[in-house]
Amino acid sequence: MRMLAAVMYTQGLPTPYEHSQPFRIEEVDLEGPADDEVLVEIRAAGLCHSDLSQVAGLRKRKVPVVGGHEGAGIVREVGRNVNTLKEGDHVVMVGVSDCGHCQMCIENRPVLCNSVAWSRSQGLLPNGNRKLSRQGMPLNHYSGVSSFAQYAVTMPQTLIKVDPAVPLDIVAMFGCAVVTGAGSVFNAAQVRPGQNVVVFGLGGVGLNAVMAAKLSNADRIIGVDIHESKFALARELGCTDCVLATDPDIVPRIKELTQGGVDFAFEVSGSKPAMATAVAVTRKGGEIIGVGLGASGDLYSYDHAQLVAEEKVIRGSFLGSGVPARDLPLYVDYFQTGRLPVDRLKSGTMGFEQLNKNLDMLDKGDVVRQILLPHGV
Ligand SMILES: NC(=O)c1ccc[n+]([C@@H]2O[C@H](COP(=O)([O-])OP(=O)(O)OC[C@H]3O[C@@H](n4cnc5c(N)ncnc54)[C@H](O)[C@@H]3O)[C@@H](O)[C@H]2O)c1
Ligand SMILES: [Zn+2]
Ligand SMILES: [Zn+2]
């Protein structure tokens, strides 16, 4: 079929993106689903900071690529070997796979599945197929999702069925922002009631960590950002205190608020200085959870002697360190029962023509989650 999609041909174009137009909105061809694939009509797709990093060229991807890794839609066709989904199901897209037989899948860590890591680097679906092209030229898939398009053919492991009562423009955010932010608290850190946490970076992912920390009955939940404008929403969603990242007294202030340091510091901004501060404000024996992502190959620095002598732990957390097929429906239930008010993170909606401009808005910190409606606003 022929459809509209946002195609990126070159990474690293200059800002403002409204002028350099890294995403070209074009008619592309999508091949129908093979026996083990599913056709989804994409109704909503979230714009994540990781999309911005790809556009900036911080992490190399095969181009040309149809962008987007956060999305939700309706199943329109299933391959004959697919028995877990049917036409009409509402689904959230998650850039994971579950081959079931690699070492990571055997250890129940589908987020780290070797087949999805390979297909992600190759711009293919996890089964090795390519479904996208333009005028005969092959186009790459983005994380097996490519949600900045009107339709996608993907694999059932990438799709999680959700209650159709939840609006698709809200549930789209669950595929990355929610599973990542909430999962970093529930799965990676496993915050216990009464513990103290700090979250660096109060964007779409960081605010989910804030909400999950509140749901975990954390005591102090401290939010840190370079933009004071992020503090009001952060407080409404659970932050007990907010501190500017540029405050020269940030380390003693957070230590004082927490009687010596936080149990868990979540670095969700992708900034190197934030990581050093995160290590500094963590108490003896506490953990620093690295969620934010900078450029591939970036080296970070922190006080290593303190890390050793105070037995701190640095832990990476990718897509929430959990099992999305298990966790995501639970988080949707938390949303439906008012415990995880994810709808508060939606800043607005956009059509394809505003996608590049929205990259600039996210870059400047003006918005939290902007939602692309590929079939029009
Ligand atoms: N680990 C994963 O699986 C995963 C998944 C999704 C996103 N990410 C990464 O998480 C990060 C956050 O993503 P997002 O979509 O929420 O981004 P976002 O742009 O919505 O939010 C980032 C926030 O960090 C703030 N910030 C920037 N520099 C800072 C600093 N030095 N100290 C404190 N705050 C600072 C910004 O003002 C902004 O509010 C990005 O690096 C993204 O690539 C990781
Ligand atoms: Zn993301
Ligand atoms: Zn696997």
Side-chain angles (χ1 to χ4, degrees), residues 17-30:
Y17 297 124
E18 190 181 4
H19 295 149
S20 62
Q21 301 270 315
F23 283 116
R24 306 273 155 170
I25 312 309
E26 297 180 323
E27 286 212 314
V28 310
D29 293 314
L30 180 69

Side-chain angles (χ1 to χ4, degrees), residues 43-292:
R43 299 302 307 175
L47 186 59
C48 171
H49 203 103
S50 295
D51 299 310
L52 199 53
S53 305
Q54 300 301 340
V55 166
L58 301 186
R59 301 189 289 279
K60 292 286 170 226
R61 281 293 173 98
K62 285 209 163 191
V63 288
V65 60
V66 175
H69 63 281
E70 223 182 55
I74 303 169
V75 171
R76 292 299 179 205
E77 197 183 328
V78 297
R80 83 174 97 157
N81 295 342
V82 177
N83 45 30
T84 48
L85 291 166
K86 61 178 190 316
E87 213 182 306
D89 282 346
H90 284 213
V91 287
V92 177
M93 309 173 86
V94 189
V96 300
S97 185
D98 190 5
C99 76
H101 50 75
C102 79
Q103 193 58 38
M104 291 298 107
C105 284
I106 289 168
E107 291 175 16
N108 205 22
R109 301 178 79 174
V111 165
L112 303 181
C113 171
N114 292 339
S115 72
V116 75
W118 171 82
S119 60
R120 190 183 289 127
S121 69
Q122 299 304 308
L124 300 170
L125 295 182
N127 60 2
N129 285 354
R130 179 193 304 281
K131 317 299 293 190
L132 293 159
S133 63
R134 181 166 188 270
Q135 294 170 349
M137 174 182 59
L139 299 176
N140 290 290
H141 292 261
Y142 186 100
S143 280
V145 173
S146 289
S147 55
F148 295 164
Q150 293 182 314
Y151 292 85
V153 167
T154 184
M155 299 196 64
Q157 296 94 320
T158 306
L159 301 171
I160 297 167
K161 191 173 156 177
V162 286
D163 183 347
V166 189
L168 288 163
D169 59 339
I170 303 299
V171 89
M173 292 184 271
F174 283 70
C176 180
V178 181
V179 284
T180 304
S184 69
V185 171
F186 295 135
N187 298 319
Q190 302 187 9
V191 173
R192 291 195 315 271
Q195 291 189 309
N196 296 315
V197 310
V198 60
V199 177
F200 292 84
L202 302 171
V205 182
L207 289 173
N208 275 292
V210 167
M211 291 191 285
K214 184 177 176 193
L215 202 46
S216 303
N217 290 316
D219 186 20
R220 289 275 183 186
I221 304 171
I222 304 164
V224 178
D225 206 288
I226 48 171
H227 296 296
E228 206 168 352
S229 57
K230 302 272 176 166
F231 292 172
L233 180 59
R235 283 203 179 91
E236 282 175 44
L237 296 178
C239 278
T240 54
D241 310 85
C242 288
V243 184
L244 270 175
T246 47
D247 182 339
D249 295 325
I250 185 168
V251 176
R253 273 198 69 190
I254 293 179
K255 285 195 162 182
E256 198 185 307
L257 284 169
T258 54
Q259 288 87 44
V262 298
D263 297 278
F264 292 100
F266 297 88
E267 200 308 287
V268 200
S269 73
S271 137
K272 287 191 199 178
M275 190 67 183
T277 312
V279 175
V281 300
T282 300
R283 70 155 170 81
K284 288 181 185 175
E287 288 194 17
I288 301 94
I289 314 287
V291 179

